[in-house]
Amino acid sequence: MGEPMTDERIRGVVHQAIVRVLPRVRSNEIAGHLNLRELGADSVDRVEILTSILDSLRLQKTPLAKFADIRNIDALVAFLAGEVARG
Amino acid sequence: MGPVGIEAMNAFCGIARLDVLQLATHRGLDTSRFANLLMEEKTVPLPYEDPVTYGVNAARPILDQLTAAERDSIELLVACTESSFDFGKAMSTYLHQHLGLSRNCRLIELKSACYSGVAGLQMAVNFILSGVSPGAKALVVASDLSRFSIAEGGDASTEDWSFAEPSSGAGAVAMLVSDTPRVFRVDVGANGYYGYEVMDTCRPVADSEAGDADLSLLSYLDCCENAFREYTRRVPAANYAESFGYLAFHTPFGGMVKGAHRTMMRKFSGKNRGDIEADFQRRVAPGLSYCQRVGNIMGATMALSLLGTIDHGDFATAQRIGCFSYGSGCSSEFFSGVVTQEGQQRQRALGLGEALGRRQQLSMPDYDALLKGNGLVRFGTRNAELDFGVVSSIRPGGWGRPLLFLSAIRDFHRDYQWIS
């Protein structure tokens, strides 16, 4: 096993997924109060970003529908941290 | 257990179409991003078309191929729709009347959002499998339409609108189900179903839709995975990457199916990005061919994807097709069946691709006039005379075969007219 999955590492995974799917976005532009739509992600991009984050964090059991109410990047990181902690 | 499945099937997707790239330009959307959604055209319902006219126009060519005795052996008629115009009277009664079916027939209307067509198909398959009426056939007609009108307080430039407007289509698929499945032989018992309560998209009021498009897409993905897991519990040897020559998915819009397939391949195959893209083009893209030209026709969409697969796939050897249907709310199913070259020849002879090309192109001003409700018959209309000249550039008729259109409503009863 590698290092423990801190919030900062989770945030890094989120940023990585976003910049891969949205090449026009730079990591330092991803403020915590923004949501994926505001960063320029359409519905197909949002699905791709979320599934690739779940892949990276090996959260195979988290239902995707749980992400529908998450309104910004900070909330996304907090939710993912909770899922990681639950295993 | 003997064979069962689809003996014949056909779609009818209207007489008017709209180029959705033109629509996106007209709405001032970023068209460079639009390609991501994999949409080309959509059918636009005219005021004198409704779910009955689409359904009858889809079913008639396959019934015309039957003898009188075969036609009279249809003992179950299921209308599958979320676009009906009466809470009590089943839409199948109108289909039954205008298709001239036997009176010794069960007439049912079934609702389950975009899952309705597959719900009806499975009900028909089980009726045939039960063996209680040997030799009987069932006719399943999935028919839906979305008449977009700009809702009060709505804004045609919002992202949600820009996603929903170009993807909403209109049309029907009719499926004759029997013990002689010449087109699609169902794998009996190979069904994975998965459903739960979720408020994603719905029609809580007449003539309009509501909901959360993002939640719906995410719920679709959860269901696709879990329905397939249930399928593999019943068919332990099944493998997502290897067992199916083609995949026919419910298609809200093409980009959604591409995303779902990519997610499924990641979970179940371990293949890399390039291989997944090639697999998408080979196994999934044929099923998008008609859906991309019609838009989402809800309960009939998965069947339209199956038609696209059959017409555009390679069936030199028989191929198993994996099918996935998702209906908001939600209920979903992964099932499969086998298509042979004979089935493909029968389907191609019906000329669906040519019929889609025959739809007339709507101009943007004509489309906007329809959007504002020009000539529209709203839910609950008691009396109306339909004007076949409401869109001056388009006339019903001249299709090469008679088509049914809505001509009047008298005391809530709908009158229809065949036009050659």
Side-chain angles (χ1 to χ4, degrees):
Chain A
M1 296 296 288
E3 301 162 46
M5 193 49 84
T6 62
D7 283 14
E8 280 323 294
R9 284 194 62 206
I10 291 172
R11 193 176 293 272
V13 168
V14 168
H15 283 212
Q16 229 172 16
I18 292 171
V19 298
R20 185 180 63 72
V21 177
L22 305 173
R24 284 185 289 194
V25 176
R26 296 211 179 103
S27 189
N28 62 9
E29 295 167 345
I30 307 172
H33 68 276
L34 295 176
N35 63 39
L36 294 175
R37 194 174 292 193
E38 288 163 336
L39 289 166
D42 65 21
S43 52
V44 176
D45 298 331
R46 292 197 289 273
V47 164
E48 174 65 8
I49 290 167
L50 292 177
T51 53
S52 88
I53 291 170
L54 291 182
D55 247 15
S56 302
L57 296 177
R58 304 195 175 183
L59 290 172
Q60 306 297 352
K61 290 183 187 156
T62 304
L64 282 163
K66 283 193 171 182
F67 289 89
D69 288 333
I70 295 176
R71 292 304 167 209
N72 62 36
I73 301 295
D74 283 345
L76 175 61
V77 172
F79 175 77
L80 289 167
E83 290 295 302
V84 168
R86 288 200 309 147
Chain B
M1 225 171 278
V4 65
I6 300 172
E7 176 179 328
M9 65 191 296
N10 187 42
F12 181 79
C13 300
I15 61 170
R17 61 176 152 152
L18 190 71
D19 181 316
V20 295
L21 189 60
Q22 268 180 27
L23 174 64
T25 308
H26 182 62
R27 293 275 179 258
L29 304 178
D30 177 0
T31 51
S32 67
R33 305 283 302 137
F34 200 73
N36 214 16
L37 303 179
L38 300 177
M39 306 178 192
E40 292 172 10
E41 299 175 327
K42 68 169 191 164
T43 287
V44 178
L46 300 174
Y48 46 84
E49 295 181 297
D50 72 7
V52 171
T53 67
Y54 289 125
V56 168
N57 292 330
R60 179 152 173 183
I62 57 180
L63 296 184
D64 284 348
Q65 294 174 345
L66 302 181
T67 64
E70 286 171 331
R71 182 188 293 234
D72 286 347
S73 72
I74 296 172
E75 295 184 13
L76 172 65
L77 172 58
V78 191
C80 312
T81 186
E82 59 176 273
S83 321
S84 192
F85 42 81
D86 193 298
F87 293 125
K89 181 176 164 65
M91 202 175 82
S92 43
T93 55
Y94 284 107
L95 300 175
H96 181 265
Q97 166 71 15
H98 295 285
L99 291 169
L101 300 181
S102 159
R103 289 199 168 195
N104 299 117
C105 181
R106 290 184 177 130
L107 309 182
I108 296 165
E109 180 180 315
L110 190 156
K111 169 180 75 181
S112 201
C114 301
Y115 175 65
S116 70
V118 169
L121 172 64
Q122 298 299 351
M123 186 176 182
V125 163
N126 288 324
F127 169 62
I128 303 301
L129 283 175
S130 74
V132 292
S133 186
K137 299 180 193 294
L139 182 63
V140 178
V141 180
S143 186
D144 269 313
L145 57 85
S146 184
R147 291 195 204 272
F148 254 99
S149 53
I150 296 174
E152 204 176 323
D155 176 358
S157 66
T158 63
E159 203 268 353
D160 275 346
W161 174 271
S162 67
F163 153 80
E165 189 188 14
S167 68
S168 301
V173 177
M175 296 171 272
L176 185 66
V177 178
S178 76
D179 58 6
T180 48
R182 296 191 181 100
V183 171
F184 181 82
R185 182 171 56 77
V186 164
D187 293 326
V188 174
N191 308 75
Y193 15 88
Y194 190 79
Y196 57 96
E197 199 278 326
V198 61
M199 192 66 176
D200 51 348
T201 58
C202 51
R203 292 192 181 191
V205 291
D207 299 322
S208 188
E209 292 168 36
D212 179 337
D214 259 25
L215 177 58
S216 194
L217 299 186
L218 296 171
S219 181
Y220 176 113
L221 292 173
D222 284 334
C223 282
C224 193
E225 176 186 343
N226 287 295
F228 182 69
R229 287 192 190 282
E230 176 62 13
Y231 178 95
T232 56
R233 196 181 67 75
R234 293 164 193 246
V235 188
N239 173 312
Y240 184 78
E242 311 289 340
S243 300
F244 312 101
Y246 294 98
L247 294 156
F249 276 23
H250 171 56
T251 306
F253 57 95
M256 174 65 218
V257 175
K258 189 169 185 177
H261 176 64
R262 192 165 46 211
T263 304
M264 292 291 283
M265 285 295 279
R266 273 198 208 133
K267 284 193 189 266
F268 294 107
S269 82
K271 288 203 187 329
N272 68 34
R273 191 166 291 273
D275 288 347
I276 292 175
E277 172 65 26
D279 186 74
F280 169 78
Q281 294 300 340
R282 185 171 59 82
R283 292 199 299 159
V284 184
L288 303 187
S289 51
Y290 295 145
C291 295
Q292 283 178 296
R293 298 172 67 187
V294 173
N296 185 1
I297 50 173
M298 293 143 259
T301 306
M302 201 238 84
L304 188 63
S305 175
L306 180 58
L307 281 167
T309 304
I310 294 172
D311 280 3
H312 296 95
D314 178 356
F315 294 93
T317 56
Q319 298 291 325
R320 173 159 283 109
I321 303 183
C323 302
F324 173 67
S325 172
Y326 172 81
S328 288
C330 67
S331 188
S332 73
E333 183 157 346
F334 193 101
F335 64 104
S336 59
V338 174
V339 174
T340 64
Q341 194 150 48
E342 184 208 348
Q344 182 182 54
Q345 283 161 357
R346 284 175 174 274
Q347 283 313 127
R348 283 185 172 172
L350 288 167
L352 178 54
E354 293 77 30
L356 295 181
R358 213 176 301 148
R359 294 170 303 166
Q360 293 178 67
Q361 192 80 248
L362 269 177
S363 70
M364 229 19 97
D366 282 344
Y367 173 71
D368 276 339
L370 288 172
L371 211 62
K372 286 179 186 137
N374 192 18
L376 180 69
V377 175
R378 294 194 178 278
F379 189 96
T381 296
R382 186 170 194 131
N383 289 293
E385 296 288 332
L386 278 294
D387 174 9
F388 290 144
V390 63
V391 180
S392 58
S393 60
I394 295 181
R395 291 280 168 178
W399 196 259
R401 66 176 171 103
L403 293 180
L404 194 73
F405 294 100
L406 175 65
S407 56
I409 302 176
R410 298 200 170 93
D411 247 344
F412 298 119
H413 186 261
R414 295 200 168 206
D415 290 347
Y416 295 92
Q417 192 179 327
W418 287 103
I419 298 181
S420 293

